[in-house]
Amino acid sequence: YKIVAKDDLIINIMGAWNGRLGISPYNGITSPAYCVYRLKGKNNPEYFGYLFTTNLFVSEFRKNSTGIGSGFLRLYTDKFFSIFSVVPPKEEQGEIVQHIKAQEEKINQFIKKKKRFIELLKEQRQSIINQAVTKGINPKAKFSKSKYGLLPENWLSKRLKFIADIQFSSVDKHSLEDEIPVRLCNYVDVYKYDYITDDLEFMIATATESEIERFKVLKGDVIITKDSEEASDIAVPTFVKEDLENVVCGYHLAMIRADETQILSEYIFRAFQSKDINSHFVVEATGVTRVGLSMGEITGVRISYPKSLEEQKQIVEQIKSETKTIDTAIAKTEREIELIREYKEAMISEAVMGKRKLNFAH
């Protein structure tokens, strides 16, 4: 391990090209995967913490890193020391840091409020979906008692294994000589998007012929996250909306392929978005640093659905109709967050390079 003092600059050797660095607020230790630097003279460490994360310097770190492929680039100390840096007077460094922190506080508050708004919208959407897939859309429907609770008449309740085929993918971004290049639908794709379409920027990976045959993504598949760092991120579903070219399901994911003589695949997708299913998996997830679901826990989950495929279709269509406005609001708010983050990057870059007039009046 390496000793770290407060205000030391810590750089991830393999991640400097991607901006993985910062000023330590603590005294402590770090692993050999990091380089530890201490600023000379009376310079303000926080100023250089901001400066070195700008696009200009991250670009310089990439140019001076060595290795094959972005995942293996390393920035060694001799190359880091060869890079030129702007060095304003210490008093000006302090003023710049003060300005950035004041602006950051406002931006972070804005982002916090927008994220909370998204959470509320998602809760509202989940409530609509939960109502539809547990009680149906007919307000005059009669309910009957079953050993699984109250169900609308002509509805069934079955474990997932009886109405769908489930596969745990084993495809990672490994690369062996005899493997075939594929596009990988990975954890981020599933977590981030409700629908998987061919215009997504999939990761490029490799897979064996047998893996491609088993885990090729098809139109109508439901894909869920089967493990995560947080229990609340377990069993997040996405729906494959269209035919895809050479896309394989990646590691940390489970593929669900419905028996559409019994249940529509898009109905399963909506059921997995419901509060009942989500709560079930949050309770079932186990682990320490990373929680996950076993095959038995996924195949054993119970789904309620109308016997009629036509009624299932009506429920799916009504959910789409009622959640359309909510989905639009979520997308708009996420874009606002993205734009304010871009503004933050530009603000920091302009401030540390002396291109922004500093204003301490507000």
Side-chain angles (χ1 to χ4, degrees):
Y1 290 93
K2 296 176 180 177
I3 294 173
V4 177
K6 184 177 181 295
D7 291 336
D8 280 354
L9 172 66
I10 314 300
I11 298 181
N12 183 307
I13 300 170
M14 295 180 67
W17 64 272
N18 201 24
R20 289 184 181 176
L21 55 92
I23 300 297
S24 175
Y26 309 108
N27 295 315
I29 56 173
T30 188
S31 78
Y34 296 83
C35 281
V36 181
Y37 301 100
R38 192 158 297 157
L39 280 106
K40 292 182 176 180
K42 296 181 178 181
N43 289 297
N44 187 321
E46 290 182 287
Y47 168 80
F48 291 95
Y50 287 121
L51 180 70
F52 293 158
T53 55
T54 61
N55 289 334
L56 175 65
F57 274 84
V58 169
S59 175
E60 285 299 311
F61 296 155
R62 186 183 183 96
K63 287 179 196 173
N64 285 275
S65 295
T66 54
I68 300 172
S70 59
F72 300 95
L73 292 176
R74 289 173 170 83
L75 180 68
Y76 292 109
T77 296
D78 60 332
K79 292 290 186 180
F80 176 59
F81 280 171
S82 72
I83 298 169
F84 282 82
S85 174
V86 293
V87 186
K90 187 183 178 184
E91 183 181 340
E92 192 171 340
Q93 293 175 23
E95 290 174 352
I96 291 169
V97 168
Q98 185 183 342
H99 170 78
I100 291 173
K101 284 185 173 181
Q103 295 302 311
E104 269 189 322
E105 187 176 350
K106 295 174 186 176
I107 291 168
N108 292 341
Q109 283 298 317
F110 176 87
I111 291 173
K112 185 179 178 180
K113 288 177 182 177
K114 292 295 180 181
K115 282 184 173 180
R116 179 56 185 151
F117 181 55
I118 290 172
E119 286 175 12
L120 293 171
L121 288 172
K122 287 182 175 179
E123 287 172 12
Q124 185 182 352
R125 182 179 67 177
Q126 191 179 58
S127 177
I128 291 169
I129 294 169
N130 201 69
Q131 172 74 20
V133 299
T134 58
K135 296 181 173 59
I137 57 175
N138 180 4
K140 296 180 180 179
K142 294 181 180 179
F143 287 75
S144 56
K145 274 189 177 182
S146 75
K147 57 183 176 180
Y148 311 116
L150 282 174
L151 286 177
E153 286 186 347
N154 298 317
W155 277 46
L156 299 171
S157 178
K158 289 188 179 181
R159 295 192 187 279
L160 188 62
K161 62 183 175 182
F162 296 121
I163 54 176
D165 177 59
I166 299 96
Q167 296 261 25
F168 277 12
S169 176
S170 60
V171 182
D172 209 343
K173 51 185 181 181
H174 50 78
S175 180
L176 301 175
E177 286 184 9
D178 60 341
E179 291 188 341
I180 302 162
V182 294
R183 295 192 295 165
L184 193 67
C185 176
N186 64 22
Y187 181 95
V188 175
D189 298 323
V190 173
Y191 185 81
K192 191 173 180 181
Y193 301 105
D194 283 344
Y195 295 102
I196 298 297
T197 58
D198 207 41
D199 58 358
L200 293 182
E201 293 184 9
F202 296 105
M203 179 187 292
I204 302 300
T206 58
T208 63
E209 285 187 13
S210 62
E211 285 176 329
I212 294 171
E213 187 177 340
R214 285 184 66 197
F215 305 120
K216 185 177 180 181
V217 175
L218 302 178
K219 181 181 178 180
D221 285 347
V222 178
I223 305 174
I224 65 167
T225 56
K226 69 178 180 67
D227 55 66
S228 182
E229 292 177 0
E230 299 289 340
S232 57
D233 296 335
I234 289 288
V236 174
T238 191
F239 183 70
V240 183
K241 203 172 183 179
E242 60 190 30
D243 291 320
L244 304 174
E245 184 68 32
N246 194 34
V247 177
V248 171
C249 180
Y251 194 57
H252 299 302
L253 302 173
M255 292 174 63
I256 301 169
R257 195 162 288 165
D259 173 4
E260 292 214 314
T261 62
Q262 298 187 70
I263 188 168
L264 298 177
S265 55
E266 197 165 359
Y267 185 93
I268 290 179
F269 164 61
R270 292 302 186 180
F272 268 81
Q273 286 186 317
S274 70
K275 188 175 182 180
D276 283 13
I277 299 287
N278 179 257
S279 300
H280 169 81
F281 284 127
V282 168
V283 172
E284 293 294 325
T286 56
V288 183
T289 56
R290 192 174 182 89
V291 294
L293 297 167
S294 67
M295 177 65 82
E297 286 160 348
I298 293 174
T299 61
V301 69
R302 200 167 272 286
I303 294 181
S304 300
Y305 61 96
K307 290 180 185 178
S308 164
L309 292 175
E310 182 58 34
E311 189 176 347
Q312 292 177 32
K313 186 177 178 181
Q314 290 171 0
I315 289 171
V316 167
E317 291 304 315
Q318 181 151 324
I319 289 172
K320 282 182 184 176
S321 175
E322 291 190 11
T323 59
K324 186 177 180 180
T325 303
I326 296 172
D327 290 340
T328 301
I330 290 171
K332 181 183 176 184
T333 309
E334 286 174 340
R335 179 58 180 153
E336 288 174 353
I337 292 173
E338 187 181 331
L339 288 171
I340 198 69
R341 282 178 172 155
E342 289 175 7
Y343 166 78
K344 178 180 173 181
E345 288 179 12
M347 178 271 296
I348 291 173
S349 181
E350 290 177 3
V352 295
M353 297 299 292
K355 296 178 181 179
R356 175 177 287 261
K357 185 178 179 182
L358 306 186
N359 181 7
F360 301 103
H362 300 289

